[in-house]
Amino acid sequence: MKTITLPNKIRVFFTPDERLRSATVGVWVSAGCKNENADNNGISHFIEHIVFKGSHKRTGFEIAEGMDEIGASVNAYTTKEYTFFYTRALDYRILTAADILFDMLTSPRLDEKDIETEKGVIFEEISMCEDDPSDVCYELNEHKLFDGNNLSQEILGSFESVKGLTKEKIISYMKDFYVGENIVIGVSGSFNEEEMLEKIKEYFSSIPERGKASTDEALPFNEGFALKNMPTEQTHISMTFPGVAIVHEDLYALQICSFILGTGTSSMLNQRIREELGLVYSIDCWLGRYVHGGYTAVSMSLVPKSEKKAIEETVKIIRSFPDEITQRKIEIAKEKLISSLIMSREQPQSKFSAVGYNTLLLGRVIEDDDIIRDIKKVSLEDVKRVYVKYFDFDKMLFTAVGKVKKEEEYKKILEGVYSAGN
């Protein structure tokens, strides 16, 4: 891999692979909910949409047709911490695809009519997510969990905040955050490095180095209850505990802990709650991680009549973990984590995305061999230690969406199983 830093602090990396006949160009921008406020919440995601509506050189149709006529694909997505734009094309077409992508990012037209039209599209997307109880549960969980921090906001924004977005707000936001130190550009596959670097400089050299500094603070963790009634057949429940950031000394031990508890069909929660009792279709334990903090969540969806038993059994299993954990279970978890990493990296886009993500958010690349080494180092004592450190029911956030019970009823269920276990 070759890395270059332009004078305006834009970081560029090249990962050539002559075995391929195509190439991918990606642009990562450190712009997401973390940069937003109540007034402009959703603007990062809105920009992801609006740049496709046209540049000063091309209309939205010309962007779409231009990609189609060279057989290229182009897309983008927004997270709470960054926005990613990318295109993929055959090697002899990649410069043209890059030209279109770079043009729409550095010189968006931002036509007033297009802005109003796109608001309608975003409203439909918000409505679609609000109709999905699993999405609602996820967002409600993070809203309560991170209350007091910008990451508590939703990526899409609200109807009110999106309605209030204007051309002036978009220009101001891009001036603040679409700046050199917030941008990483990567190119992977079969391409000419010299020609690609010239193309990057052509479009990005005039981008200013600095804009508005992002808020850099540790994420809060707010325990308690977050409940929302929805007319659904199933209740969606999340039991959330403290966790770790994307880089942390406890990360791999906690991943192994969560894998043994609730990742895969052989996990403790799956075997008891699903296979033996048939209370859920699926139950999972997973990590939510950000640059400055994270959480560990156990999530499930089930019919209301199964709630009490499922909650009780889940708490019992989590609390019994120290007595059930064995070296064999740890070795199985290690093997699964390592194999999933290696097999995912054999997909070129996976490695490419990881390099860009780590370069943008961490300022460095974490090598796969280092990850594998650290996973292998995790001991039985490490797993027990992180269990005690993070699976603290006194700090748990209980989130439920659907035909939910009253908070007092959930408290009674939890207190009953706590008392029974003492």
Side-chain angles (χ1 to χ4, degrees):
M1 185 177 78
K2 182 177 181 180
T3 60
I4 301 162
T5 301
L6 302 183
N8 59 357
K9 303 303 181 184
I10 290 178
R11 289 156 288 174
V12 179
F13 69 89
F14 294 142
T15 53
D17 188 342
E18 294 181 355
R19 297 171 300 174
L20 302 180
R21 297 179 61 184
S22 66
T24 302
V25 177
V27 180
W28 290 260
V29 184
S30 184
C33 293
K34 66 176 183 178
N35 311 105
E36 300 171 1
N37 53 47
D39 180 60
N40 67 6
N41 181 209
I43 195 169
S44 302
H45 175 255
F46 195 86
I47 290 170
E48 175 217 315
H49 278 237
I50 202 64
V51 296
F52 285 87
K53 303 297 283 187
S55 69
H56 290 296
K57 292 196 320 189
R58 298 175 173 92
T59 65
F61 176 76
E62 287 170 338
I63 288 173
E65 185 183 52
M67 288 295 189
D68 285 346
E69 70 180 357
I70 60 172
S73 60
V74 61
N75 212 335
Y77 61 80
T78 307
T79 74
K80 292 197 171 186
E81 294 186 305
Y82 66 94
T83 309
F84 179 44
F85 305 87
Y86 60 98
T87 183
R88 186 180 185 190
L90 296 179
D91 49 12
Y92 64 94
R93 297 292 198 183
I94 194 61
L95 273 178
T96 302
D99 188 89
I100 297 173
L101 179 69
F102 296 162
D103 174 43
M104 62 189 241
L105 284 176
T106 58
S107 184
R109 181 174 301 187
L110 303 180
D111 180 80
E112 299 277 9
K113 183 178 179 181
D114 289 339
I115 290 172
E116 292 307 311
T117 300
E118 203 59 29
K119 286 180 183 181
V121 175
I122 303 297
F123 292 155
E124 290 298 321
E125 192 172 357
I126 293 173
S127 297
M128 179 177 67
C129 291
E130 289 187 349
D131 285 342
D132 186 332
S134 61
D135 281 351
V136 174
C137 188
Y138 175 85
E139 293 294 349
L140 179 64
N141 192 60
E142 291 207 343
H143 179 71
K144 169 70 174 180
L145 202 63
F146 300 144
D147 188 27
N149 185 281
N150 287 346
L151 287 190
S152 67
Q153 302 174 117
E154 294 188 24
I155 293 171
L156 302 182
S158 65
F159 288 107
E160 183 179 0
S161 64
V162 172
K163 185 178 180 180
L165 296 180
T166 63
K167 179 176 181 177
E168 290 70 30
K169 286 184 180 180
I170 294 170
I171 291 172
S172 176
Y173 186 85
M174 294 187 77
K175 182 179 179 181
D176 285 341
F177 299 110
Y178 275 62
V179 294
E181 63 182 1
N182 284 352
I183 296 174
V184 169
I185 302 172
V187 190
S188 175
S190 176
F191 61 95
N192 183 294
E193 289 186 20
E194 184 177 339
E195 291 178 346
M196 187 59 72
L197 182 57
E198 286 305 309
K199 181 65 68 175
I200 291 169
K201 289 178 177 178
E202 175 187 342
Y203 280 97
F204 289 92
S205 291
S206 60
I207 297 289
E209 175 185 335
R210 297 182 184 276
K212 185 176 181 180
S214 299
T215 302
D216 205 22
E217 58 185 18
L219 283 176
F221 186 97
N222 298 300
E223 68 270 11
F225 291 82
L227 310 175
K228 184 179 178 66
N229 271 297
M230 285 185 72
T232 61
E233 294 302 315
Q234 287 187 312
T235 303
H236 295 258
I237 292 175
S238 177
M239 301 168 68
T240 307
F241 303 88
V244 298
I246 57 176
V247 174
H248 193 280
E249 61 184 1
D250 292 336
L251 172 60
Y252 301 116
L254 189 56
Q255 281 187 322
I256 288 171
C257 189
S258 68
F259 178 88
I260 295 169
L261 270 173
T263 304
T265 55
S266 68
S267 66
M268 294 170 65
L269 288 169
N270 267 282
Q271 282 296 303
R272 177 61 175 165
I273 309 297
R274 185 188 191 279
E275 298 299 328
E276 293 181 26
L277 299 177
L279 296 173
V280 299
Y281 177 71
S282 65
I283 183 168
D284 298 289
C285 184
W286 51 281
L287 306 186
R289 297 184 294 137
Y290 295 97
V291 173
H292 298 295
Y295 57 87
T296 307
V298 173
S299 56
M300 66 186 104
S301 47
L302 66 176
V303 294
K305 69 178 182 179
S306 299
E307 277 185 54
K308 184 176 184 296
K309 182 68 172 176
I311 293 169
E312 290 173 343
E313 291 296 325
T314 297
V315 173
K316 288 178 185 177
I317 291 166
I318 294 173
R319 295 183 74 181
S320 72
F321 182 84
D323 299 323
E324 299 293 330
I325 187 66
T326 64
Q327 188 64 44
R328 173 173 168 75
K329 289 181 178 180
I330 290 174
E331 294 306 317
I332 291 172
K334 287 182 182 181
E335 195 68 22
K336 183 66 176 178
L337 286 171
I338 291 170
S339 64
S340 63
L341 172 69
I342 292 174
M343 286 189 280
S344 72
R345 292 297 194 252
E346 290 182 352
Q347 304 297 321
Q349 299 307 309
S350 172
K351 181 68 174 178
F352 178 66
S353 296
V355 171
Y357 170 84
N358 288 328
T359 302
L360 181 75
L361 298 182
L362 304 177
R364 63 186 176 90
V365 176
I366 302 175
E367 298 295 339
D368 293 346
D369 287 345
D370 293 335
I371 296 174
I372 293 170
R373 180 202 63 212
D374 289 341
I375 291 173
K376 288 181 175 179
K377 284 168 53 178
V378 174
S379 67
L380 177 62
E381 291 71 26
D382 291 330
V383 174
K384 288 185 176 182
R385 175 181 57 81
V386 299
Y387 166 81
V388 172
K389 184 175 180 180
Y390 297 103
F391 283 88
D392 184 347
F393 281 93
D394 289 334
K395 296 180 180 178
M396 182 182 74
L397 172 62
F398 184 96
T399 304
V401 170
K403 296 173 183 175
V404 300
K405 297 176 171 59
K406 293 181 179 180
E407 182 176 321
E408 290 73 20
E409 294 182 69
Y410 287 119
K411 283 183 178 179
K412 187 175 180 181
I413 294 171
L414 291 168
E415 288 170 357
V417 71
Y418 294 161
S419 300
N422 290 335

